[in-house]
């Protein structure tokens, strides 16, 4: 071929997708799963897949997205964050405020339509405050709900609030060169402080009650849940696909090499002149934003968000998912999150049969967390690279 043709062929070989065929494989698998779920759904298909299972699948895809964020910050950069589920929960709170406010506003306006005089904006706002905050003994709309009536602003806050919190926390921690277990403890302390604050009734976010009724989408109240669940599953699949491609692109070039080098030998990278703190701060902040976006899609499917979702144990579970799947491999994080999430739904949903031992009956609802902890210990001891690491060894053996 001519020189121009050879150059064109070489450029095609050097494209991102050509150098990373696993990304194409992942997108194809995700597309097939989404298509099959749609075909078997009650809304657009045969009805073999109940709406409840469609919601579980949609939520699982969101958990896979936050697992990718955790793998970026821990598996690739070496920062064991025990607070990323806090950003996930904050994303849910930001979108939940609009969902709850707009839905309550529709109900209040509908109830006042037969009044002798049309209600004033202040009367509507007071009625909304009573409806939402009466459960915690309040009636006024708190200051933090100032923009709850605006969907565009709340969508912006989904990114801005967790991103700003991560930026400030990361700047303070990384500039002080806090590393290792001390940094993990700090992230856990941040999560605990935020959770305890949200548990208070005067936090403005309904305390222990959290935000509920999020599955009732304003303007779509007449739409069946079977249809909404499919739409949210599509959105979850799209977010996961875009997040996976973005993460793979970010760790594939020079930036990714520097981040992995920081994980392996931070002091040496600093000696070579790289701004280690800037790289770590960027990874910490961008993964917090990814986690928040995942939470904003997850909680309308869950229907409720409360401070328990932000408790430190949730972030510990997240680390366990990534460890079981295989950290340092994006598809490993997805495998770990999907596997543990689906098994958790199966075991805790009463679908797993009890195991009678004569002297004792194992009820998986009570023993699931023990099984999860045991699995984590076994993976750490015998398969430190997780499920993805075992898969890699099998592929290399077949290739040899």
């Amino acid at each position: 071929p001519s020189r121009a043709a050879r150059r064109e062929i070489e450029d095609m070989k050097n494209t991102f997708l050509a150098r990373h065929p696993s990304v194409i494989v992942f997108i194809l698998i995700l597309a097939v799963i989404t298509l099959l779920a749609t075909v078997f759904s009650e809304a657009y298909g045969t009805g073999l897949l109940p709406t409840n299972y469609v919601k579980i699948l949609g939520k699982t895809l969101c958990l896979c997205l936050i697992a990718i964020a955790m793998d970026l910050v821990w598996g690739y950069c070496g920062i064991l964050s025990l607070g990323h589920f806090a950003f996930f929960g904050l994303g849910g709170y930001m979108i939940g405020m609009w969902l709850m406010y707009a839905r309550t506003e529709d109900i209040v306006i509908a109830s006042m339509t037969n009044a002798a005089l049309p209600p004033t904006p202040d009367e509507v706002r007071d009625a909304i405050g009573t409806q939402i905050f009466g459960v915690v003994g309040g009636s006024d709309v708190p200051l933090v709900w100032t923009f709850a009536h605006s969907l565009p602003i709340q969508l912006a806050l989904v990114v801005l609030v967790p991103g700003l919190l991560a930026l400030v926390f990361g700047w303070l921690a990384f500039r002080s060169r806090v590393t290792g277990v001390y940094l993990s403890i700090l992230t856990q302390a941040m999560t605990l402080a935020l959770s305890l604050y949200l548990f208070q009734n005067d936090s403005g976010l309904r305390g222990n009650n959290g935000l509920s009724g999020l599955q009732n989408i304003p303007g779509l109240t007449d739409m069946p849940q079977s249809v909404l669940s499919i739409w949210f599953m599509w959105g979850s699949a799209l977010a996961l696909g875009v997040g996976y491609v973005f993460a793979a692109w970010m760790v594939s070039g020079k930036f990714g090499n520097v981040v992995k080098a920081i994980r392996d030998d931070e002091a040496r990278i600093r000696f070579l002149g790289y701004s280690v703190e800037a790289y770590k701060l960027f990874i910490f902040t961008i993964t917090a934003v990814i986690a928040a976006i995942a939470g904003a899609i997850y909680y309308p499917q869950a229907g409720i968000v409360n401070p328990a979702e932000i408790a430190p144990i949730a972030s510990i579970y997240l680390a366990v998912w990534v460890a079981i799947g295989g950290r340092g491999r994006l598809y490993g994080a997805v495998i770990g999150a999907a596997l543990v999430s689906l098994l958790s739904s199966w075991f805790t949903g009463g679908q797993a049969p009890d195991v009678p031992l004569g002297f004792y009956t194992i009820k998986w609802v009570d023993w699931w967390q023990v099984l999860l902890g045991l699995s984590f210990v076994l993976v750490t001891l015998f398969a430190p690279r997780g499920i993805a690491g075992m898969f890699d060894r099998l592929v290399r053996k077949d290739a040899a």
Side-chain angles (χ1 to χ4, degrees), residues 226-350:
S226 59
V227 176
L228 289 177
S229 65
I230 283 291
W231 290 1
F232 271 109
M233 187 200 65
W234 291 344
S236 302
L238 177 62
L240 177 59
V242 172
Y244 190 93
V245 173
F246 173 74
W249 171 78
M250 192 164 57
V251 300
S252 63
K254 179 182 176 181
F255 178 86
N257 292 333
V258 174
V259 168
K260 287 179 280 190
I262 291 173
R263 173 196 64 191
D264 297 333
D265 195 336
E266 180 176 324
R268 185 173 183 179
I269 297 303
R270 182 177 285 108
F271 177 76
L272 292 175
Y274 288 94
S275 178
V276 171
E277 288 71 30
Y279 278 89
K280 293 169 73 173
L281 181 59
F282 176 80
I283 284 289
F284 192 81
T285 304
I286 198 68
T287 53
V289 170
I290 294 173
I293 293 173
I297 305 173
Y298 176 93
Y299 286 107
Q301 300 177 77
I304 185 172
V305 55
N306 57 51
E309 305 288 336
I310 300 179
I313 189 64
S315 294
I316 295 174
Y317 284 150
L318 178 59
V320 171
W321 300 347
V322 175
I324 290 176
R327 68 188 183 100
R329 293 166 179 80
L330 295 176
Y331 68 90
V334 172
I335 291 173
L339 180 65
V340 175
S341 175
L342 294 175
L343 286 177
S344 175
S345 298
W346 188 62
F347 280 113
T348 60

Side-chain angles (χ1 to χ4, degrees), residues 20-34 61 64-65 68 236-245 248 330-335 338:
H20 299 87
S22 61
V23 174
I24 300 178
V25 174
F26 178 85
I27 296 300
L28 287 176
I29 293 175
L30 180 62
V32 169
I33 292 174
T34 304
L61 295 177
C64 291
L65 181 56
I68 289 176
S236 302
L238 177 62
L240 177 59
V242 172
Y244 190 93
V245 173
L330 295 176
Y331 68 90
V334 172
I335 291 173

Side-chain angles (χ1 to χ4, degrees), residues 83-277:
H84 262 55
F85 228 91
F87 306 126
F88 185 83
L90 281 176
Y93 266 103
M94 293 303 105
I95 194 62
M97 290 166 68
W98 175 79
L99 289 169
M100 198 167 188
Y101 188 96
R103 173 62 178 149
T104 305
E105 183 179 34
D106 290 343
I107 295 173
V108 167
I109 292 177
S111 66
M112 292 182 172
T113 53
N114 295 326
L117 295 175
T120 64
D122 289 339
E123 289 176 335
V124 172
R125 186 173 178 83
D126 290 342
I128 292 173
T130 301
Q131 286 284 336
I132 296 178
F133 301 102
V135 69
V136 292
S139 59
D140 296 328
V141 178
L143 185 63
V144 294
W145 290 69
T146 300
F147 303 109
H149 64 281
S150 173
L151 177 58
I153 294 179
Q154 288 300 135
L155 288 176
L157 292 178
V158 167
V159 174
L160 292 176
V161 172
L164 183 60
L165 176 61
L167 183 66
V168 173
F169 176 88
W171 183 77
L172 292 173
F174 298 140
R175 72 186 292 268
S176 302
R177 297 191 178 180
V178 181
T179 59
V181 66
Y182 300 104
L183 181 59
S184 299
I185 292 173
L186 277 180
T187 58
Q188 192 172 39
M190 173 200 69
T191 305
L192 180 61
L194 180 61
S195 176
L196 292 177
Y197 171 74
L198 292 176
F199 267 114
Q200 301 177 19
N201 289 338
D202 59 359
S203 65
L205 293 170
R206 293 174 28 114
N208 184 53
N209 299 279
L211 308 182
S212 58
L214 307 186
Q215 75 279 5
N216 299 314
I217 310 301
L220 298 175
T221 53
D222 295 332
M223 189 71 66
Q225 282 295 312
S226 59
V227 176
L228 289 177
S229 65
I230 283 291
W231 290 1
F232 271 109
M233 187 200 65
W234 291 344
S236 302
L238 177 62
L240 177 59
V242 172
Y244 190 93
V245 173
F246 173 74
W249 171 78
M250 192 164 57
V251 300
S252 63
K254 179 182 176 181
F255 178 86
N257 292 333
V258 174
V259 168
K260 287 179 280 190
I262 291 173
R263 173 196 64 191
D264 297 333
D265 195 336
E266 180 176 324
R268 185 173 183 179
I269 297 303
R270 182 177 285 108
F271 177 76
L272 292 175
Y274 288 94
S275 178
V276 171
E277 288 71 30

